[in-house]
Amino acid sequence: MDSPTEDTKSLRSLSRASIRQSIASRRLTRIESIRMSIIETSLLEKRLCEIFDVFDTAKTGEVDVKDLGTIIRALGCVVTEAELQEIQVQVEDVVKNCVPLDKFLDYMNSAINERKFKPAEPEDLLKAFQLLDPENRGYIMHDDLEKAMMEVGEPLSQEEIDDMMSIACDPETKRINYEHYINLLLVKIPDELNLYSIVDAMDAARLEAMPKKRRLESLLMEYQT
């Protein structure tokens, strides 16, 4: 097998994230109403607060640090374990072993506006799978995908591999029809709940409100970066 590439890494990252997000989704059986008085919050902050509030069962404005990864992945963000550890350093109250709402909002507002942890596009994921299918058969064998998942980036645990294969792999042929699997992974999140759609809409509204000259300057700066 060729040495790992960025596309192959994105394949493994998204697969890992999909497993963990499926676990998070099972925990999020309902979204409770916000019980905190937050004045003039943005749509993004409201969405962040809604998810945070589900795990803040005592309504103290804090969540257990152990729930941080579940919360972030439930928001649709794709984070590795290494990235999660870095986030925890930024937001944790180490004395109380918890994550306060204000620190969570500050960090996640900034991260989402910078488009960090955004899931891969379907086209990018398809290219990554196709790297493992040089003959363009439309499928990958179980053992080949498992080997790739274990060798690229953070290795998946056997439990995570088994969880993924139970969805992706045909038990009789041991084949993974990867286009079908991609469709299963990329469940459409409504725009009003998708954090990245929310910030895209907010940016578009800010741009529309600008005078034409400033709008042009902003677009040119974005293009140059």
Side-chain angles (χ1 to χ4, degrees):
M1 185 179 296
D2 294 335
S3 60
T5 65
E6 288 303 315
D7 284 338
T8 315
K9 291 177 182 177
S10 73
L11 158 63
R12 191 214 53 77
S13 276
L14 191 72
S15 297
R16 173 185 284 275
S18 69
I19 293 167
R20 287 180 172 139
Q21 284 172 341
S22 69
I23 296 170
S25 296
R26 287 194 288 271
R27 294 188 61 183
L28 291 171
T29 55
R30 65 190 178 95
I31 299 293
E32 298 179 13
S33 299
I34 292 297
R35 298 184 182 181
M36 302 181 66
S37 176
I38 300 175
I39 302 173
E40 296 182 350
T41 56
S42 69
L43 291 175
L44 174 59
E45 287 176 332
K46 288 179 181 178
R47 176 64 178 147
L48 292 170
C49 286
E50 285 172 352
I51 297 295
F52 189 94
D53 195 54
V54 172
F55 291 86
D56 180 15
T57 54
K59 306 308 171 194
T60 59
E62 300 169 344
V63 295
D64 194 311
V65 72
K66 291 184 294 186
D67 290 328
L68 182 61
T70 304
I71 295 171
I72 291 175
R73 292 178 178 116
L75 289 165
C77 300
V78 177
V79 291
T80 66
E81 283 301 299
E83 288 170 333
L84 182 58
Q85 292 302 315
E86 292 176 6
I87 297 171
Q88 183 174 326
V89 169
Q90 297 293 321
V91 302
E92 182 183 9
D93 180 334
V94 293
V95 176
K96 300 173 69 175
N97 229 18
C98 70
V99 177
L101 177 60
D102 58 347
K103 285 190 175 183
F104 176 78
L105 286 179
D106 285 347
Y107 182 87
M108 292 306 298
N109 249 317
S110 176
I112 300 301
N113 273 289
E114 293 173 13
R115 305 321 193 259
K116 289 183 178 178
F117 318 126
K118 187 175 181 179
E121 296 296 331
E123 296 80 7
D124 295 332
L125 189 55
L126 179 61
K127 290 177 183 177
F129 272 108
Q130 287 173 338
L131 292 174
L132 302 176
D133 180 25
E135 297 177 8
N136 200 27
R137 298 172 297 182
Y139 64 85
I140 302 168
M141 298 306 295
H142 175 289
D143 291 347
D144 293 335
L145 182 58
E146 180 172 348
K147 187 169 185 279
M149 293 293 99
M150 295 300 293
E151 289 182 349
V152 179
E154 295 179 47
L156 291 167
S157 69
Q158 191 58 52
E159 182 181 0
E160 290 171 326
I161 289 284
D162 293 342
D163 194 345
M164 180 182 70
M165 292 301 181
S166 69
I167 299 171
C169 186
D170 184 314
E172 294 183 3
T173 64
K174 300 297 182 183
R175 294 177 178 177
I176 294 95
N177 181 326
Y178 49 82
E179 289 196 41
H180 176 66
Y181 182 49
I182 290 170
N183 287 332
L184 293 177
L185 289 179
L186 300 174
V187 177
K188 173 65 175 174
I189 301 174
D191 284 347
E192 65 270 17
L193 299 179
N194 186 311
L195 299 183
Y196 299 99
S197 294
I198 290 172
V199 294
D200 285 345
M202 290 168 64
D203 285 351
R206 280 195 292 267
L207 186 64
E208 187 65 27
M210 288 182 183
K212 287 185 178 180
K213 182 177 179 181
R214 285 186 58 198
R215 193 185 312 172
L216 178 59
E217 290 172 348
S218 178
L219 289 170
L220 288 173
M221 288 180 63
E222 182 178 337
Y223 176 77
Q224 290 171 356
T225 56

